[in-house]
Short mmCIF file of all heavy atoms in Angstrom, two decimals:
data_model
loop_
_atom_site.label_atom_id
_atom_site.label_comp_id
_atom_site.label_asym_id
_atom_site.label_seq_id
_atom_site.Cartn_x
_atom_site.Cartn_y
_atom_site.Cartn_z
N LEU A 47 10.59 -2.13 3.43
CA LEU A 47 9.77 -2.41 4.61
C LEU A 47 8.30 -2.58 4.24
O LEU A 47 7.61 -3.47 4.74
CB LEU A 47 9.93 -1.29 5.63
CG LEU A 47 9.33 -1.54 7.02
CD1 LEU A 47 9.98 -2.74 7.68
CD2 LEU A 47 9.47 -0.30 7.89
N HIS A 48 7.80 -1.74 3.32
CA HIS A 48 6.42 -1.87 2.87
C HIS A 48 6.21 -3.21 2.15
O HIS A 48 5.18 -3.87 2.32
CB HIS A 48 6.05 -0.71 1.94
CG HIS A 48 5.63 0.53 2.67
ND1 HIS A 48 4.35 0.72 3.13
CD2 HIS A 48 6.34 1.63 3.03
CE1 HIS A 48 4.27 1.90 3.73
NE2 HIS A 48 5.46 2.47 3.69
N ARG A 49 7.18 -3.61 1.35
CA ARG A 49 7.05 -4.88 0.64
C ARG A 49 7.10 -6.06 1.60
O ARG A 49 6.40 -7.06 1.42
CB ARG A 49 8.15 -5.01 -0.42
CG ARG A 49 7.98 -4.04 -1.58
CD ARG A 49 8.96 -4.30 -2.70
NE ARG A 49 8.80 -3.32 -3.77
CZ ARG A 49 7.90 -3.41 -4.74
NH1 ARG A 49 7.10 -4.47 -4.79
NH2 ARG A 49 7.81 -2.48 -5.66
N LEU A 50 7.92 -5.95 2.63
CA LEU A 50 7.97 -7.00 3.65
C LEU A 50 6.62 -7.13 4.35
O LEU A 50 6.15 -8.24 4.62
CB LEU A 50 9.07 -6.69 4.66
CG LEU A 50 9.23 -7.69 5.81
CD1 LEU A 50 9.57 -9.08 5.28
CD2 LEU A 50 10.29 -7.21 6.79
N TYR A 51 5.99 -5.99 4.63
CA TYR A 51 4.66 -6.01 5.27
C TYR A 51 3.65 -6.72 4.37
O TYR A 51 2.88 -7.57 4.83
CB TYR A 51 4.22 -4.57 5.54
CG TYR A 51 2.74 -4.43 5.84
CD1 TYR A 51 2.22 -4.76 7.09
CD2 TYR A 51 1.87 -3.97 4.85
CE1 TYR A 51 0.87 -4.63 7.35
CE2 TYR A 51 0.52 -3.84 5.11
CZ TYR A 51 0.02 -4.17 6.36
OH TYR A 51 -1.32 -4.05 6.61
N HIS A 52 3.64 -6.38 3.08
CA HIS A 52 2.70 -7.02 2.16
C HIS A 52 3.02 -8.51 2.00
O HIS A 52 2.10 -9.34 1.88
CB HIS A 52 2.74 -6.33 0.80
CG HIS A 52 1.93 -5.06 0.74
ND1 HIS A 52 0.56 -5.07 0.60
CD2 HIS A 52 2.31 -3.76 0.82
CE1 HIS A 52 0.11 -3.82 0.57
NE2 HIS A 52 1.15 -3.01 0.71
N LEU A 53 4.31 -8.84 1.98
CA LEU A 53 4.70 -10.24 1.82
C LEU A 53 4.17 -11.10 2.97
O LEU A 53 3.63 -12.18 2.75
CB LEU A 53 6.22 -10.35 1.74
CG LEU A 53 6.80 -11.77 1.68
CD1 LEU A 53 6.35 -12.48 0.41
CD2 LEU A 53 8.32 -11.74 1.78
N ARG A 54 4.28 -10.60 4.20
CA ARG A 54 3.89 -11.40 5.36
C ARG A 54 2.38 -11.60 5.44
O ARG A 54 1.91 -12.56 6.04
CB ARG A 54 4.40 -10.75 6.65
CG ARG A 54 3.84 -9.37 6.92
CD ARG A 54 4.14 -8.88 8.33
NE ARG A 54 3.39 -9.61 9.32
CZ ARG A 54 2.10 -9.36 9.61
NH1 ARG A 54 1.45 -8.41 8.96
NH2 ARG A 54 1.50 -10.06 10.53
N ARG A 55 1.60 -10.70 4.85
CA ARG A 55 0.15 -10.85 4.89
C ARG A 55 -0.42 -11.32 3.55
O ARG A 55 -1.62 -11.48 3.42
CB ARG A 55 -0.53 -9.53 5.29
CG ARG A 55 -0.43 -8.42 4.26
CD ARG A 55 -1.05 -7.12 4.73
NE ARG A 55 -2.48 -7.24 4.93
CZ ARG A 55 -3.39 -7.03 3.98
NH1 ARG A 55 -2.99 -6.73 2.75
NH2 ARG A 55 -4.66 -7.15 4.24
N GLY A 56 0.46 -11.56 2.58
CA GLY A 56 0.03 -11.96 1.25
C GLY A 56 -0.19 -13.45 1.13
O GLY A 56 -0.01 -14.23 2.07
N SER A 57 -0.55 -13.88 -0.07
CA SER A 57 -0.96 -15.27 -0.31
C SER A 57 0.20 -16.26 -0.24
O SER A 57 -0.03 -17.46 -0.10
CB SER A 57 -1.64 -15.37 -1.67
OG SER A 57 -0.81 -14.88 -2.71
N MET A 58 1.44 -15.79 -0.33
CA MET A 58 2.57 -16.72 -0.25
C MET A 58 2.83 -17.22 1.16
O MET A 58 3.29 -18.35 1.35
CB MET A 58 3.84 -16.06 -0.81
CG MET A 58 3.96 -16.16 -2.31
SD MET A 58 5.60 -15.74 -2.89
CE MET A 58 5.67 -13.99 -2.54
N LEU A 59 2.52 -16.39 2.16
CA LEU A 59 2.81 -16.75 3.54
C LEU A 59 1.56 -16.88 4.40
O LEU A 59 1.49 -17.75 5.25
CB LEU A 59 3.74 -15.71 4.17
CG LEU A 59 5.12 -15.55 3.53
CD1 LEU A 59 5.92 -14.49 4.27
CD2 LEU A 59 5.87 -16.87 3.52
N SER A 60 0.61 -16.00 4.20
CA SER A 60 -0.58 -15.99 5.05
C SER A 60 -1.68 -16.88 4.49
O SER A 60 -2.02 -16.78 3.32
CB SER A 60 -1.10 -14.55 5.20
OG SER A 60 -2.31 -14.53 5.92
N PRO A 61 -2.26 -17.74 5.32
CA PRO A 61 -3.38 -18.58 4.86
C PRO A 61 -4.69 -17.78 4.82
O PRO A 61 -5.61 -18.02 5.60
CB PRO A 61 -3.43 -19.69 5.91
CG PRO A 61 -2.92 -19.03 7.15
CD PRO A 61 -1.87 -18.05 6.70
N MET A 89 5.59 -9.67 -4.24
CA MET A 89 5.59 -9.29 -2.83
C MET A 89 4.47 -8.31 -2.49
O MET A 89 3.82 -8.44 -1.44
CB MET A 89 6.94 -8.68 -2.45
CG MET A 89 8.10 -9.66 -2.47
SD MET A 89 9.68 -8.87 -2.10
CE MET A 89 9.49 -8.53 -0.34
N ALA A 228 -7.00 -8.77 13.73
CA ALA A 228 -6.79 -9.89 12.81
C ALA A 228 -5.95 -9.48 11.61
O ALA A 228 -5.28 -10.33 11.00
CB ALA A 228 -8.13 -10.45 12.35
N ASP A 229 -5.98 -8.20 11.24
CA ASP A 229 -5.24 -7.73 10.07
C ASP A 229 -4.76 -6.31 10.36
O ASP A 229 -5.45 -5.33 10.07
CB ASP A 229 -6.14 -7.76 8.83
CG ASP A 229 -5.38 -7.45 7.54
OD1 ASP A 229 -4.14 -7.48 7.57
OD2 ASP A 229 -6.04 -7.18 6.52
N ALA A 230 -3.57 -6.20 10.92
CA ALA A 230 -3.05 -4.90 11.35
C ALA A 230 -2.67 -4.04 10.15
O ALA A 230 -2.21 -4.54 9.12
CB ALA A 230 -1.84 -5.10 12.25
N SER A 231 -2.85 -2.73 10.28
CA SER A 231 -2.38 -1.80 9.26
C SER A 231 -0.86 -1.77 9.27
O SER A 231 -0.21 -2.26 10.21
CB SER A 231 -2.93 -0.40 9.53
OG SER A 231 -2.36 0.13 10.72
N TRP A 235 1.54 -2.52 12.53
CA TRP A 235 2.53 -3.60 12.44
C TRP A 235 3.93 -3.06 12.64
O TRP A 235 4.76 -3.68 13.34
CB TRP A 235 2.41 -4.27 11.07
CG TRP A 235 3.54 -5.21 10.78
CD1 TRP A 235 3.69 -6.49 11.23
CD2 TRP A 235 4.69 -4.94 9.96
NE1 TRP A 235 4.86 -7.03 10.74
CE2 TRP A 235 5.49 -6.10 9.96
CE3 TRP A 235 5.11 -3.83 9.22
CZ2 TRP A 235 6.69 -6.17 9.25
CZ3 TRP A 235 6.30 -3.91 8.51
CH2 TRP A 235 7.08 -5.08 8.55
N THR A 238 4.93 -2.57 16.18
CA THR A 238 5.07 -3.81 16.95
C THR A 238 6.41 -4.49 16.68
O THR A 238 6.84 -5.33 17.48
CB THR A 238 3.95 -4.81 16.62
OG1 THR A 238 4.01 -5.16 15.23
CG2 THR A 238 2.59 -4.22 16.93
N VAL A 239 7.08 -4.12 15.58
CA VAL A 239 8.34 -4.77 15.25
C VAL A 239 9.54 -3.82 15.36
O VAL A 239 10.68 -4.28 15.40
CB VAL A 239 8.31 -5.37 13.82
CG1 VAL A 239 7.24 -6.43 13.73
CG2 VAL A 239 8.11 -4.30 12.76
#
Side-chain angles (χ1 to χ4, degrees):
L47 190 61
H48 277 276
R49 291 188 183 276
L50 179 61
Y51 165 78
H52 279 281
L53 175 64
R54 62 168 290 280
R55 69 183 295 272
S57 55
M58 276 193 292
L59 299 180
S60 175
M89 292 177 71
D229 188 15
S231 68
W235 170 79
T238 61
V239 299

